[in-house]
Amino acid sequence: MKRVSTNNLFGMCSRRDFLKYCTIMAASMGLPLTAGEKIADALTSPKRPAVIWISGQGCTGCTESLLRTSHPTLATLILDMISLDYNETLNAGAGRQAEEFMERSVEENRGKFVLVIEGAIPTKDGGIYCQIAGKPFVKIVKDLADKAGAIIAIGSCASWGGIPSADPNPTGAKGAPEVLKDKTVVTIPGCPANPYNFLSTVAFYLTYKKLPELDKKGRPKFAYSRLIHENCERRPHFDAGRFAERFGDEGHRKGYCLFKLGCKGPVTYNNCSILQFNDVGTWPVRCGHPCFGCSEDGVGFNIPFFVEANITKSSVITPAATPAGIEYERGGKVSGTAAGLIGAAVGAAIGAGAVSVSKMKSESEDEK
Amino acid sequence: MSLSRRGFLKTVVGGSVALGTVSLSKESGASEGELPPDAVGILYDSNLCIGCQSCMVACKRANGMPVEHTGDQKTWDNPLDLSAKTLNIIKMYRDGDKFAFIKRQCMHCLEPACAAACPVTALHKDEKTGIVTYDPSACIGCRYCQVACPYDIPKFDWNSPFPQIHKCQLCIHLLKEGKYAACCHVCPTGASLFGPVKKLREEAQRRLLMKPGEYYEFPVNHIESGKKVVHKAKKYIQHIYGLNEVGGSQCMILAGVEFEKLGLPALRKESYVSDLEGVSMELYKYLVYPVAALGGLVYLVRKRGVHD
Amino acid sequence: MSEARPLNTRIITFPFVVGVVLVILALIFLIKRFIYGLGPVSGMNDGYPWGLWIAYDVNVGTAFACGGYAMAILIYIFNKGEYTPLLKPAILTSMLGYTLAAVSIFFDIGRYWNMFNIFMPWHMNLHSPMLEVAVCIASYVVVLWIEFSPVLLKNPGVRKLIKSEDIEEKLMKVLFIFVALGMLLPTMHQSSLGTLMILAGYKLSPLYWSKFLPFFFLLCALMLGYAIVIFETSVAGVAFNNTHEFKLLQKLSAVMPWLIGIFILMRFQDINARGALSDIFKGDLPGNMYLLENLLLLIALCILRKKENRANNKKVLIAAMCTLFGAGLYRFDAYITAFNPRNGWHYFPTTPEILITLGVIAVELLGYLYVVKRFPVLVLPKRNN
């Protein structure tokens, strides 16, 4: 396989740096470090795989989020690594031209292209609430999914419905897995999704020609198998019972745990607390705002921001920082009524005896 | 008040059934704890324990136990003691700046009082591994096991209309799959060590001989896993708790603080089960005495006629 | 001559109504127990798994119900036929007491639906004193009902329902077996109730723990059996103006000083042999209870020791009451007040718990009142025509 020169790949970086980034990507997926080389090879192979990226009821935030990447940059991704044959935001062409190009790419790469779905899929009234080129989005999704090699739903909207599906859900917005029930759909929830979760999945697919391990909701386990709470930097404060009670109070200023301000970290699966965003380590909790569970179906856009998360799962709830002491006083509360009743009962027994004693004659009469 | 010879004899004869209830000599010697063939247990070393409580989390997960809250804040699983929801607990002893941790769970005694007490064999000592298991389908909920256990381990569902007894069963359900006790599986320091009791006893002896302040290798998780960690040895109280207490147990404890301060009662060498043997077992063995007594009584009643 | 006759007086009296109220209260809380479990209704906890129901209803209650047992021993083993008039009322009290002790066990054990496991050979643990107690008490309840059935069969209402004559005939042929069992079974389980607490080990105060617990419990059962017969005959005699059996009580009370004396001496010596004598004056609860029990029993002993005291009905009744309280307290203390699991546990019965126990006692009293009024139990003086 002829290698393409990797100079200036990843935007002005050397091959050494490129290999380093591939190794980092491998590590973030929980793969052995030797996989880094494999990924590097796959990403530099001359035949770039086709990707069809369709948008439904979305805000394009996930595409935007991909713009804020540096390893690789979006430019490098779409120019050197994959063949992005259709993306409404980034298309060079428009209208019928773009649609025909997409159809041709689909036919050429049938069974091999990667279908990326961004935005929710409205299903009410035949799906008329989102139509592209006169076709309801739900139909577009179904048609393309039949011909795709892999399907990735990026963002909470495409994964489970996101904002459009919030109560009362007037358009019947659904996530891709719900619409494509018989297909394996990789979901990368988040609002927006962390772009590196998406990029790592794509790199994995290109390298190993199969999808990474997914959980029951189709989320890659390397990113979504743990709660934000499990890796949160403010966890020691949670375990020790140090909470911010109001925005701006002393606890908030000291960086204490935001659970009482409604942080949904304990009920949200994602890796925001480890990976963070924008390559500078920002994420909501670090900035002092509680996580609102944007990735989690049933939490984000459902439970209000500042309502305490309802943590009941024993997998979440771990012991407090300080263990129990050796001995405690418990039980044996003496209630007045109880003591009174006992006294009354014993008194009655003694009383019955005393009355009998007083009433009986000392000497027994002889039996006749 | 005088008794005639006749009266005295009658008293003796009449009381023979009553007096026979007590065997005044301990005939059956206490079976001084023999180890079952595949006896497994846990060696807990308080000197190595850092109080991370991973063992509590692992135990709850492995056994599907619910969360137990203490206090208003329902954010932690923070039981005060073993209970129907908590089979394994880490407690902390404090004395000024000094502190030590202690892990409490079923000791899996060699002569378990709970198993001797249970009328319906709901608590039963496994013949091979020696683990004392609980069978709710047999249990009648009489709670005699709670009265009998010298360590106060079995706990009861007081707030359920369908209560059970709960206690550590050394993850016997995992043993069947070739794994071992969850608490030992996750212990990072080797404080909770699983393995065959014979090897655990040797390891405990080895630790008592360690010089405080010197570095030694300590096995972690399973004593036969080969995994080792290096620690600086601390001073040990020269006693292996559980080796000889009430007949010995398969779980043992080492500590650097007096065991009483850690909530472990000072117990005698013989188990109270052996006291039972001398009393009830001699008397009711094969029901010989009772049947003989019944025979005598039937004869007496027949002869004297039933009074209406 | 006198004969056993129903009293035929009014059933609905003031004590009867009070009893019914107590029973209704007890039933309300029993329903709560079955819906919510034992914790919300009682003060029992993991430190004190046995509370008022086991320590009083079963433990003391069955001892108080040993009247039939004690009288049977006197009548059949020692051939004192003159006590026969006291036998039927004693069997009645025993029957009611033991039946209600069994009912108390039923609602105390947590998994009552598995109760019959104690009879299943594949479940039975023959090493367990609890098994012995459970099987024996269950059997003895049946024996008591059979022993009392001749009285029940004499009631005209019952005779109308079933063919009493045939049953009575067959019954009388085999009754001797049950009478014999009625002397064996209580010996076994009353002593086993003591054996139970041997396993409590160090948790029981040294003043109460002993390898001789079964013997002490049996002695208590016997002395309580005689004491309850005296108490019940005296109180019922005064209440129903039926005092002619009191002379028998004087003779009966002669047994008690022996039993009490042996008990006090042996218990003291047992404590001494184990080197725990200093605990008596520690001032803690077990020590004080020991003193109280012995004080009450010594009073009874001193009274009944002298023949002239035994001829005085009042003193006999006072001595019987002292015995009931003293020995009854000993049995209760051995289960609860002398039991200390340490670790900060405490126990005190809750109001619902006490009300349920009072309801159980009320059923016994109501049952006694009803039966003596409608069935030939009490031996009354012959009516003048």
Side-chain angles (χ1 to χ4, degrees), chain A residues 174-194:
Chain A
K174 290 187 180 164
E178 243 193 293
V179 170
L180 304 169
K181 284 210 168 70
D182 54 338
K183 301 241 188 307
T184 307
V185 178
V186 180
T187 57
I188 315 236
C191 187
N194 194 313

Side-chain angles (χ1 to χ4, degrees), chain C residues 10-11 26 70 76 78 100 136 144 165 210 222 228 235-236 249 266 276 279 286-287 315 319 358 362 373:
Chain C
R10 216 161 50 125
I11 297 283
Y76 292 106
F78 293 96
L100 281 148
C136 248
L144 281 167
E165 290 87 25
S210 160
L222 281 168
I228 201 79
V235 173
L249 297 180
M266 284 205 66
D279 281 7
K315 291 193 180 163
L358 290 178
K373 287 176 181 173

Side-chain angles (χ1 to χ4, degrees), chain B residues 1 24 117 121 144 150 158 304, chain C residues 39 76 123 128 196 202 212 258:
Chain B
M1 194 187 129
L24 298 176
T121 329
Y144 187 25
W158 293 103
R304 281 154 191 187
Chain C
Y76 292 106
H123 278 309
S128 167
L196 274 184
Y202 76 101
F212 292 94
W258 288 95

Side-chain angles (χ1 to χ4, degrees), chain A residues 3 15 18-19 22-23 26 32-44 207:
Chain A
R3 277 242 215 101
R15 172 155 179 87
F18 169 62
L19 278 171
C22 287
T23 311
L33 295 178
T34 48
E37 261 199 60
K38 282 192 93 175
I39 293 177
D41 279 342
L43 292 183
T44 49
T207 311

Side-chain angles (χ1 to χ4, degrees), chain B residues 1-3 7 9-15 17-19 21-24 26 81-84 91 104 113-123 134-152 154-165 246 263 265-268 271-277 279-281 283-284 287 289-291 293-294 297-302 304-308, chain C residues 33-40 42 44-51 54 69 73 75-81 84 87-88 108-118 122-132 134 150-151 154 168 172-173 175-177 179-181 183-184 187-189 191-192 195-203 209 211-216 218 222 254-255 257-258 304-305 310 339 341-343 345:
Chain B
M1 194 187 129
S2 63
L3 252 192
L9 281 171
K10 269 200 196 149
T11 314
V12 168
V13 166
V17 173
L19 286 172
T21 60
V22 176
S23 161
L24 298 176
K26 195 166 118 185
D81 197 1
L82 293 174
S83 72
K91 289 180 167 187
R104 300 304 305 273
C114 61
C118 182
V120 286
T121 329
L123 286 159
Y134 171 70
D135 177 13
S137 68
C139 178
I140 60 174
C142 71
R143 311 181 303 282
Y144 187 25
C145 53
Q146 294 193 289
V147 174
C149 177
Y151 303 105
D152 286 327
K155 301 291 178 192
F156 191 70
D157 282 313
W158 293 103
N159 295 319
S160 163
F162 307 111
Q164 287 188 16
I165 285 284
V246 285
L267 295 168
R268 67 176 208 187
S271 82
Y272 292 100
V273 179
S274 58
D275 283 343
L276 259 195
E277 304 289 304
V279 174
S280 56
M281 283 310 90
L283 190 66
Y284 294 115
L287 283 179
Y289 279 125
V291 169
L294 183 63
L297 288 167
V298 167
Y299 168 74
L300 271 175
V301 176
R302 204 61 164 139
R304 281 154 191 187
V306 174
H307 295 256
D308 198 7
Chain C
R33 172 258 176 275
F34 281 107
I35 297 177
Y36 294 104
L38 289 166
S42 74
M44 295 187 279
N45 47 48
D46 283 321
Y48 284 88
W50 286 345
I54 295 287
Y69 167 58
I73 287 186
I75 293 173
Y76 292 106
I77 296 184
F78 293 96
N79 209 14
K80 303 268 188 210
T84 309
L87 186 59
K88 278 287 177 312
D108 176 86
I109 60 176
R111 297 174 70 79
Y112 46 89
W113 57 91
N114 278 341
M115 193 153 82
F116 293 102
N117 283 354
I118 56 170
W122 54 90
H123 278 309
M124 287 163 117
N125 171 16
L126 298 172
H127 291 262
S128 167
M130 174 69 91
L131 178 79
E132 205 283 307
V151 173
K154 288 204 172 75
E168 220 176 334
M172 296 317 281
K173 286 208 190 113
L175 201 61
F176 69 98
I177 303 176
V179 172
L181 276 171
M183 286 185 275
L184 175 70
T187 310
M188 290 169 72
H189 68 252
S191 55
S192 289
T195 315
L196 274 184
M197 289 317 272
I198 291 182
L199 216 45
Y202 76 101
K203 290 192 256 187
W209 187 89
K211 284 198 215 155
F212 292 94
L213 271 170
F215 184 56
F216 295 153
L218 189 62
L222 281 168
V255 187
W258 288 95
L304 295 176
R305 196 163 65 87
R310 294 202 299 272
F339 183 77
R342 287 127 230 248
N343 251 303
W345 287 109

